[in-house]
Amino acid sequence: MIKFLDLKAINAAYENELKEACARVIDSGWYIMGNELEQFESKFADYCGTKYAVGVANGLDALILVLRAWKELGKLSEGDEVIVPANTYIASILAITENKLVPVLVEPDIETYNLTKEGIEAAITPRTKAVLPVHLYGLISPMSEIMQIAKEYNLLVLEDCAQAHGAMTGGKKAGNWGDAAGFSFYPGKNLGALGDAGAITTNDDTLYQALVALRNYGSHKKYENKYQGVNSRLDEIQAAMLSVKLNYLDSETEHRRKLSSVYLEGISNPKITLPKCFNSDAHVWHLFVVRCKNRLDFSEYLVKQGVQTLVHYPTPPHKQEAYESYTDLNLPITETIHREVISLPMGPTLSLEDAKKIVEIINCY
Ligand SMILES: *Cc1c(COP(=O)(O)O)cnc(C)c1O
């Protein structure tokens, strides 16, 4: 069986370095908010090209805390509308509603699965205060256009970079376009910890100060609390794991790009719709997502042929019980996407030979 993703193999490649880093943290006697976190934050900010990175407990918290900070700083208030793609992973929307803001679900482009300039413009109302573009599956959104609209309508931009570490457009990386960005280092993400972890990137000093306090009980100074904050810190152990793995992110992305070329150039079955990528820097191929009208039949065929697939995602957020009040929205593109998408094996340890085998199997379907 060709696995969809082999997490054990991914980390086994760096076993010695990870164990050394782990031992260093154990021996240090310091486990939260220490050197490992500082070093990782500075390395990750350098990687993204931003002034700051703030480590937090996970990707959802990263998004929640940015919106929360904007509320504390008077830039957002309850009831403000936030534009978000309707086909995103539900976490992007949870971050909005957790802050008592109103998600405005906008249809994505069927070819890129991301927000478009036109979609955003049509959704803007006098209550719109922010846009939350999601670089879904690893493809960066049209950020230069989005920033232009944001400037025109005075909107805040929060990038959801959970799937797009290192994706780039116009020479600038994901996480360095918006006013702030949230990253996830969930183990299966392109940069994955060995547990939960996340980070926020920004170039804004005031926002940075607020975030550093909010993630640590709202404390800006030991035993002094400016905000009613939360505990959402990135552990020393995970920061140490991430510093090791960040060194290999670009070479892993290169491998993902090679795999995607094998798929894109090889798959010629008319029953399968391939993803579009107009510029190789723009996509880091967190997932290789194709569409098939009869997804169930296709996935069963692949399993019989020894290929494991997954669906990202089977149910759109507005059809989830959690968002019952959104269920009647008319979102035909989003619903088509959720009905037809299927993700092929993709990851730094999948071999090009296996990808070629998968191509042959798909072309015989
Ligand atoms: C994974 C993911 C998140 C949430 O990250 P966690 O670290 O799992 O909390 C948010 N948005 C998107 C698009 C994701 O894929």
Side-chain angles (χ1 to χ4, degrees):
M1 180 68 104
I2 303 177
K3 281 198 202 172
F4 176 76
L5 180 72
D6 188 346
L7 278 180
K8 186 173 170 181
I10 289 174
N11 290 315
Y14 316 119
E15 184 178 343
N16 290 338
E17 279 187 77
L18 291 172
K19 284 183 174 165
E20 271 167 36
C22 207
R24 186 174 71 229
V25 176
I26 294 170
D27 292 344
S28 76
W30 192 280
Y31 307 114
I32 287 173
M33 303 278 265
N35 290 335
E36 298 289 344
L37 177 64
E38 260 179 44
Q39 278 171 29
F40 174 68
E41 285 177 337
S42 134
K43 254 175 100 156
F44 192 65
D46 282 350
Y47 180 81
C48 296
T50 56
K51 197 160 169 192
Y52 302 110
V54 181
V56 293
N58 55 66
L60 174 57
D61 276 4
L63 299 171
I64 290 177
L65 286 172
V66 171
L67 296 172
R68 170 76 194 276
W70 282 335
K71 284 169 70 187
E72 296 290 349
L73 297 171
K75 294 188 166 191
L76 288 178
S77 14
E78 277 186 24
D80 286 348
E81 292 178 358
V82 181
I83 289 174
V84 64
N87 62 319
T88 185
Y89 180 58
I90 198 163
S92 327
I93 295 165
L94 291 172
I96 299 170
T97 53
E98 174 69 22
N99 278 290
K100 299 195 160 50
L101 302 163
V102 178
V104 175
L105 307 183
V106 170
E107 291 264 65
D109 180 88
I110 186 83
E111 296 201 317
T112 64
Y113 305 110
N114 281 338
L115 283 180
T116 62
K117 175 175 176 277
E118 294 73 26
I120 294 171
E121 267 177 335
I124 291 175
T125 75
R127 309 195 59 141
T128 311
K129 293 286 148 56
V131 188
L132 203 166
V134 182
H135 309 317
L136 203 67
Y137 307 147
L139 175 64
I140 194 166
S141 306
M143 287 315 297
S144 143
E145 292 179 0
I146 291 174
M147 294 317 291
Q148 231 173 306
I149 301 174
K151 200 170 165 199
E152 197 175 322
Y153 292 90
N154 198 21
L155 309 175
L156 294 160
V157 176
L158 169 56
E159 294 173 75
D160 183 339
C161 296
Q163 304 189 358
H165 317 71
M168 209 192 264
T169 182
K172 219 198 262 193
K173 280 195 178 131
N176 192 17
W177 277 94
D179 298 288
F183 285 86
S184 166
F185 307 124
Y186 178 81
K189 299 290 162 83
N190 285 27
L191 178 57
L194 280 76
D196 273 314
I200 296 152
T201 54
T202 186
N203 293 309
D204 179 335
D205 300 85
T206 315
L207 179 66
Y208 170 74
Q209 300 298 340
L211 288 167
V212 166
L214 279 170
R215 73 167 171 190
N216 190 32
Y217 315 119
S219 170
H220 60 297
K221 213 165 152 190
K222 197 162 189 178
Y223 301 127
E224 288 185 30
N225 296 68
K226 189 164 177 174
Y227 308 107
Q228 296 173 18
V230 297
N231 176 346
S232 182
R233 300 177 298 223
L234 171 55
D235 296 343
E236 290 288 280
I237 286 263
Q238 295 305 339
M241 301 296 100
L242 287 164
S243 285
V244 170
K245 292 190 71 181
L246 181 54
N247 294 334
Y248 302 99
L249 177 60
D250 283 342
S251 63
E252 290 192 351
T253 300
E254 267 324 295
H255 186 71
R256 288 173 186 272
R257 287 183 175 138
K258 283 186 190 141
L259 293 167
S260 74
S261 298
V262 170
Y263 286 147
L264 288 170
E265 288 158 25
I267 298 172
S268 58
N269 188 326
K271 294 195 194 92
I272 305 303
T273 307
L274 291 169
K276 288 273 186 316
C277 179
F278 305 101
N279 167 352
S280 67
D281 282 349
H283 214 316
V284 293
W285 301 103
H286 172 56
L287 297 168
F288 192 94
V289 176
V290 301
R291 292 204 316 277
C292 180
K293 291 250 186 299
N294 196 341
R295 170 172 73 196
L296 183 62
D297 184 68
F298 181 51
S299 68
E300 285 172 353
Y301 164 79
L302 289 174
V303 167
K304 276 194 211 117
Q305 300 293 321
V307 179
Q308 190 189 21
T309 57
L310 288 178
V311 172
H312 300 87
Y313 300 91
T315 308
H318 72 284
K319 293 294 181 191
Q320 298 284 355
E321 201 179 334
Y323 289 112
E324 243 169 2
S325 60
Y326 289 77
T327 193
D328 292 332
L329 287 179
N330 180 31
L331 298 164
I333 299 175
T334 297
E335 285 170 27
T336 301
I337 290 170
H338 286 77
R339 201 164 49 239
E340 297 183 354
V341 286
I342 173 163
S343 309
L344 303 182
M346 169 56 73
T349 60
L350 177 69
S351 70
L352 297 176
E353 289 67 40
D354 278 348
K356 285 173 196 161
K357 263 187 234 161
I358 295 168
V359 167
E360 279 171 32
I361 290 168
I362 290 176
N363 287 342
C364 291
Y365 170 60

